[in-house]
């Protein structure tokens, strides 16, 4: 699986840790659902280019493990209830 697009599906509950085992995943599009809990620290595939988790009910900090996703070009986390500091690696994305 290289793309997982399940936006606007009324999905509920936490993101499963197993999502991090999708080592070929390049695009994770789960915006406009009702996902809750923390962003799993298993979300770190080097191939990930786009992560869209916006418009959910996610909370807690952005895990520093996301810095291992070195090819990230687009990261959408808006309209959640995230807290804490933004990992330094994300500050320098371009």
């Amino acid at each position: 699986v290289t793309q997982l697009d399940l936006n606007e599906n009324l999905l509920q509950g936490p993101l499963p840790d197993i999502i991090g085992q999708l080592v070929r995943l390049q695009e994770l599009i789960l915006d406009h659902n009702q996902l809750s809990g923390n962003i799993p620290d298993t979300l770190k595939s080097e191939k990930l280019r786009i992560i869209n988790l916006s418009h959910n009910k996610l909370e807690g900090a952005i895990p520093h493990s996301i810095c291992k996703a070195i090819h990230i070009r687009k990261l959408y986390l808006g309209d959640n209830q995230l807290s804490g500091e933004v990992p330094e690696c994300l500050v320098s994305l371009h």
Side-chain angles (χ1 to χ4, degrees):
V1 175
T2 59
Q3 181 182 28
L4 182 61
D5 186 343
L6 295 170
N7 71 319
E8 297 186 38
N9 276 290
L10 300 175
L11 298 175
Q12 297 179 10
L15 279 169
D17 285 339
I18 197 165
I19 229 165
Q21 294 179 12
L22 300 173
V23 294
R24 294 188 176 143
L25 192 63
Q26 295 178 19
E27 297 181 19
L28 178 62
I29 314 294
L30 297 174
D31 59 296
H32 290 89
N33 282 294
Q34 296 178 23
L35 298 171
S36 59
N38 295 330
I39 299 172
D41 61 3
T42 58
L43 192 59
K44 58 186 176 187
S45 170
E46 290 184 7
K47 295 188 184 266
L48 271 171
R49 295 185 182 279
I50 299 171
I51 298 175
N52 190 344
L53 300 175
S54 65
H55 303 283
N56 280 289
K57 298 178 180 180
L58 298 169
E59 56 192 21
I62 301 169
H64 287 276
S65 59
I66 206 163
C67 294
K68 293 181 181 175
I70 58 174
H71 295 293
I72 290 258
R73 294 295 173 250
K74 297 181 181 179
L75 177 64
Y76 303 101
L77 299 174
D79 197 22
N80 281 291
Q81 293 145 14
L82 299 172
S83 60
E85 295 184 17
V86 176
E88 186 65 33
C89 68
L90 298 181
V91 175
S92 62
L93 280 179
H94 52 350

